[in-house]
Amino acid sequence: FGKFDLFVARSKKLIDVLQVKQQFSSLSVSNIDNIESVCHKFDQILANFKRKNDRHFLDVKKSEFDTIYQEFKQQVDDLSSDLTAFINNCFLTVSSTAKALELLARFRSVTGSDSLRLLLDEKHTAIFQNYGRDLDNIRAVYEKNKEKPLAHRNTP
C-alpha cells in the first residue's frame, strides 16, 4: 500500500500542476492588454517542468519529481506575485468606474486562485468606495451651484 499512497500523492501534485496550467491558459486567451508577458513566463516555467521530468511523472521511484514540483510551485508563486502587481498596476491606470468594473469582470473570468479572487474582491470594494466619493463630489458641486448654475438654461 505504500506505493499506492505515493502514487496518490503524486497524482494530487499532478492535478495541482494541471489546475495551475488551466488558470494561466485562461489568462492567455483573455483580452486583457499586456498580459502576454505573464503568460510567456508561465509557458517557460511549464516547459522547464516538463523538460526536467522527462516523461516520468507517475514513476513513484523517481524521487526528484518532488524537488522539481517544489521548484515549480515556487516559480508559480513568484509569477502570481508578478500577476498581482500587474493587476494592481492595471487598476491604477483606469480612469472611470465603468472601465474599472469592466476590467474587474475580465480578471474575474480568468483568475482561479483564492489569493487572486481575494485581491479582486478588494478591488471591487475600492471601486465602489471611489464611486461613492464621486457621487459625494457631484452632490457637493450641485448643491453649490443649484441656485446660480454655471450654464444658462436651454443653452447647448
Side-chain angles (χ1 to χ4, degrees):
F1 289 110
K3 286 185 179 182
F4 182 74
D5 290 338
L6 289 173
F7 180 78
V8 168
R10 178 74 52 91
S11 297
K12 287 180 181 179
K13 290 177 181 177
L14 287 172
I15 289 171
D16 182 47
V17 169
L18 292 174
Q19 287 173 337
V20 170
K21 181 184 183 305
Q22 183 179 16
Q23 175 188 348
F24 281 95
S25 294
S26 64
L27 276 176
S28 67
V29 296
S30 70
N31 57 352
I32 299 170
D33 296 334
N34 301 321
I35 195 76
E36 298 84 16
S37 63
V38 174
C39 297
H40 181 69
K41 285 180 187 176
F42 177 74
D43 290 341
Q44 289 175 336
I45 291 169
L46 188 62
N48 190 30
F49 177 78
K50 288 178 182 178
R51 184 182 44 79
K52 286 183 178 180
N53 278 302
D54 198 27
R55 298 187 183 141
H56 297 291
F57 294 130
L58 298 176
D59 189 359
V60 294
K61 296 174 189 171
K62 304 270 184 180
S63 61
E64 64 266 6
F65 174 84
D66 294 326
T67 306
I68 296 167
Y69 173 76
Q70 289 302 323
E71 181 182 318
F72 172 80
K73 288 299 288 180
Q74 181 60 44
Q75 290 174 338
V76 168
D77 288 344
D78 293 342
L79 187 59
S80 291
S81 297
D82 292 347
L83 183 57
T84 299
F86 176 79
I87 290 171
N88 286 329
N89 191 35
C90 285
F91 279 98
L92 287 176
T93 61
V94 174
S95 60
S96 71
T97 301
K99 289 182 182 179
L101 288 173
E102 180 184 323
L103 185 62
L104 183 70
R106 279 195 245 156
F107 277 117
R108 278 200 194 276
S109 68
V110 295
T111 53
S113 72
D114 291 336
S115 62
L116 291 177
R117 284 190 190 130
L118 182 61
L119 174 68
L120 294 177
D121 288 343
E122 291 171 7
K123 295 297 179 190
H124 186 262
T125 303
I127 289 168
F128 281 104
Q129 286 174 344
N130 289 338
Y131 183 68
R133 281 193 292 273
D134 289 345
L135 288 177
D136 290 340
N137 291 338
I138 291 169
R139 182 182 304 124
V141 168
Y142 171 77
E143 291 297 328
K144 178 182 170 188
N145 297 320
K146 74 179 177 182
E147 297 299 325
K148 240 180 164 182
L150 298 175
H152 297 288
R153 238 175 222 253
N154 298 327
T155 56

